[in-house]
Amino acid sequence: MRHRTCTSPCGVSSLTFPAKMKSRRIFGFSLSLILINLASIMERADENLLPAVYKEVSEAFNAGPIELGYLTFILKFVQSIASPVAGVLVLHHDRPVVLAVGTACWALSTSAVGLSQRFEQVAFWRAINGFGLAIVIPALQSFIADSYMDGLRGTGFGLLSLVGAIGGIGGSVLATVMAGHEYWGIPGWRCAFILMASVSLLIGALVYLFVVDPRRDPLVTHGGDDDDTERAISVAKSTAIPSSVWSNSWLAMKSVMKVRTFQIIVLQGIVGSLPWTAMVFFTMWFELIGFDNNSSAALNSLFAVGCAMGSFLGGFIADRITKRFPDSGRVMCAQFSAFMGIPFSWILLTRIEPSVDNWNAFAVTLFLMGLSISWCATCANNPMFAEVVPPKHRTMIYAFDRAFEGSFASFAAPAVGFLTEKIYGYDSESFKSANASAQGALALSKGLFMMTVIPFGLCSLFYSPLYVVFKHDRDSTKLACSKELEDRDRVI
């Protein structure tokens, strides 16, 4: 088979890929992007399964908020520390292969959670699940970054987040509704896990078989025609320096870590991710207030719909604002979104009386909250990452962002459990009487309030240095890319 080398700006990959392949199209849409978005749907659905059935898992394994928080902590922590593996794999393998392997890993571990008979088994398989997600998520993000131009990247990430949120809604609703029933004598929450794992395996197989990496698609590869490709091959042959997988990976890691925009976004993300991790307790809080499974699922769905629409809206608005304010538009959008978490958390957790009679008030607040606080990743973080490193390092920068942010954010769920039980007096008997449930709901709302308002405020503040730093990093990357291309031309 004839081989060609990717001609992305800022360097020829150390790998040679099979001759460029064109992604199939269905009704004018790229089949690769359709399947990538389906993978995102299943990834988000998988993440939302366990929080949606915290109450049932608590009863099945006699676990309180602290133990439930540890389950989320285990997944998030393993996912974060293992994320750099995705950057290493994508440097040396096609992304569809990496995505298929990660999908199979998370699907098998999800089914194992549904079959677990002891709490320790659930914890172990949640760790394996986190490893699978660690491989998939950065590869998905870099795939989207390579598939869209600079001025459209916010919309592209917004679309990925929108369809992913559909999966989150579906996973949460499916698990919450099924949890209230038994199927063939098996608890519904276990059946939900097994069903979701089966669908995930199918999507992973389709990604492996039909998705074409943007580095191999002539419609999206940044390098031009076949003459450019052949010229890049000549340069690679004449200038190649023998290097190992690990040395290439180490050089990529050092390059990413030095970028100040990356450092600042990671800093804000460390605190900005805390509220989102804490929100896994929303379903449990609604049920403690007195809402049944269907009502709780509906409230979570409205919040998820708001987040889905908001993530797309934020990316779209930022793309438009950036045309007028190229150096600061994305930062302004991100600060606005982070700040809006403060008033909405205050209203939701302290001003609305915790009663089933106030379902409408909870619903409206949750929808508007989701619509306004979900912009940061799509309007700023992900598009800006794509502009401050060479294309060949994009998966690595997304992987390290997940590593740093996720490792700290993973402590949020146990922190909510600790605050709820040790500080605000949550009683594990809360499910057994109406009065105890009300007290448990109040304690949990206080814990959630502390883990949302303060982090949202700090997150908005920490974006400020990007008004100066981002322009410098973006221009430096463009200059380095241009210089490298000129050097190649001189070699030829």
Side-chain angles (χ1 to χ4, degrees):
M1 179 184 292
R2 188 183 182 191
H3 286 76
R4 291 180 180 168
T5 304
C6 171
T7 56
S8 295
C10 295
V12 179
S13 171
S14 61
L15 291 177
T16 55
F17 296 103
K20 287 186 179 180
M21 300 171 58
K22 183 178 179 180
S23 176
R24 301 179 185 180
R25 304 188 78 80
I26 299 179
F27 301 114
F29 296 97
S30 166
L31 177 60
S32 292
L33 283 176
I34 291 173
L35 291 175
I36 286 297
N37 282 283
L38 285 175
S40 177
I41 287 175
M42 298 312 301
E43 174 263 316
R44 291 286 292 276
D46 184 86
E47 283 194 272
N48 281 271
L49 277 179
L50 185 62
V53 294
Y54 265 172
K55 181 174 181 290
E56 288 72 22
V57 172
S58 175
E59 294 172 342
F61 298 102
N62 193 29
I66 291 179
E67 288 82 5
L68 295 175
Y70 281 142
L71 292 179
T72 297
F73 164 77
I74 290 168
L75 180 140
K76 295 292 184 181
F77 188 75
V78 172
Q79 180 183 334
S80 61
I81 63 174
S83 288
V85 174
V88 174
L89 290 175
V90 171
L91 278 176
H92 306 283
H93 299 280
D94 252 356
R95 274 173 288 198
V97 176
V98 176
L99 289 169
V101 170
T103 301
C105 183
W106 101 51
L108 293 174
S109 59
T110 296
S111 64
V113 169
L115 297 172
S116 296
Q117 299 301 314
R118 298 198 306 272
F119 184 83
E120 293 78 8
Q121 293 174 335
V122 176
F124 172 79
W125 290 113
R126 288 292 281 177
I128 303 301
N129 190 268
F131 182 79
L133 294 174
I135 296 174
V136 169
I137 295 174
L140 283 175
Q141 292 172 322
S142 68
F143 193 103
I144 294 298
D146 285 352
S147 300
Y148 291 87
M149 299 176 62
D150 288 350
L152 298 174
R153 209 166 269 133
T155 304
F157 278 110
L159 180 62
L160 181 74
S161 182
L162 174 63
V163 298
I166 293 173
I169 295 169
S172 180
V173 172
L174 177 72
T176 304
V177 173
M178 290 183 68
H181 304 82
E182 284 193 358
Y183 302 88
W184 308 286
I186 302 173
W189 71 269
R190 295 183 182 274
C191 294
F193 274 76
I194 296 171
L195 175 62
M196 196 63 64
S198 302
V199 178
S200 296
L201 277 175
L202 174 62
I203 297 299
L206 293 176
V207 167
Y208 177 77
L209 292 173
F210 297 109
V211 169
V212 178
D213 196 302
R215 294 180 296 194
R216 295 168 52 189
D217 191 340
L219 295 178
V220 297
T221 297
H222 302 282
D225 55 23
D226 288 346
D227 290 337
D228 292 332
T229 302
E230 300 298 342
R231 183 176 65 173
I233 295 174
S234 299
V235 174
K237 289 180 178 179
S238 63
T239 62
I241 299 175
S243 58
S244 68
V245 170
W246 295 111
S247 63
N248 285 337
S249 302
W250 177 246
L251 290 174
M253 292 177 190
K254 289 198 298 182
S255 175
V256 166
M257 297 287 286
K258 291 179 181 178
V259 179
R260 288 186 295 171
T261 296
F262 168 77
Q263 296 169 359
I264 293 169
I265 292 180
V266 166
L267 175 62
Q268 67 76 31
I270 287 174
V271 294
S273 298
L274 295 176
W276 294 96
T277 307
M279 288 175 191
V280 299
F281 281 99
F282 271 0
T283 298
M284 186 176 183
W285 181 52
F286 296 144
E287 292 176 347
L288 285 171
I289 289 173
F291 294 111
D292 59 21
N293 290 77
N294 292 337
S295 297
S296 298
L299 288 173
N300 276 323
S301 297
L302 283 170
F303 179 64
V305 168
C307 290
M309 296 175 62
S311 60
F312 179 78
L313 182 67
F316 180 82
I317 290 175
D319 282 347
R320 298 303 179 272
I321 292 179
T322 300
K323 291 181 179 179
R324 184 169 182 179
F325 304 101
D327 303 329
S328 59
R330 297 195 183 279
V331 184
M332 289 189 291
C333 290
Q335 286 190 306
F336 166 80
S337 182
F339 178 80
M340 292 305 294
I342 299 175
F344 277 112
S345 296
W346 177 70
I347 294 170
L348 178 70
L349 296 168
T350 67
R351 307 316 302 165
I352 302 177
E353 182 182 354
S355 168
V356 294
D357 296 330
N358 290 325
W359 189 93
N360 290 335
F362 281 115
V364 172
T365 303
L366 284 165
F367 176 77
L368 294 177
M369 182 178 182
L371 192 66
S372 60
I373 69 172
S374 55
W375 296 17
C376 293
T378 57
C379 77
N381 299 4
N382 292 336
M384 292 169 79
F385 280 151
E387 295 186 52
V388 297
V389 294
K392 61 185 177 181
H393 291 164
R394 282 175 180 163
T395 302
M396 191 66 76
I397 196 170
Y398 293 122
F400 269 91
D401 175 57
R402 299 289 301 184
F404 285 105
E405 290 189 22
S407 59
F408 284 91
S410 61
F411 289 94
V416 171
F418 179 83
L419 287 171
T420 301
E421 288 194 38
K422 305 301 183 182
I423 306 298
Y424 298 118
Y426 176 90
D427 185 356
S428 59
E429 299 292 314
S430 294
F431 294 119
K432 298 183 179 180
S433 72
N435 183 56
S437 276
Q439 294 176 353
L442 178 61
L444 186 54
S445 68
K446 291 179 179 179
L448 285 168
F449 183 76
M450 292 297 295
M451 294 303 298
T452 53
V453 171
I454 296 175
F456 273 132
L458 292 174
C459 175
S460 181
L461 178 64
F462 289 165
Y463 269 111
S464 300
L466 290 177
Y467 285 111
V468 176
V469 171
F470 171 63
K471 180 180 185 301
H472 177 269
D473 288 340
R474 182 196 60 205
D475 293 346
S476 296
T477 300
K478 288 181 178 179
L479 181 62
C481 290
S482 299
K483 185 176 184 301
E484 188 170 343
L485 290 174
E486 290 174 2
D487 291 342
R488 288 182 195 160
D489 289 337
R490 284 196 293 269
V491 171
I492 293 174

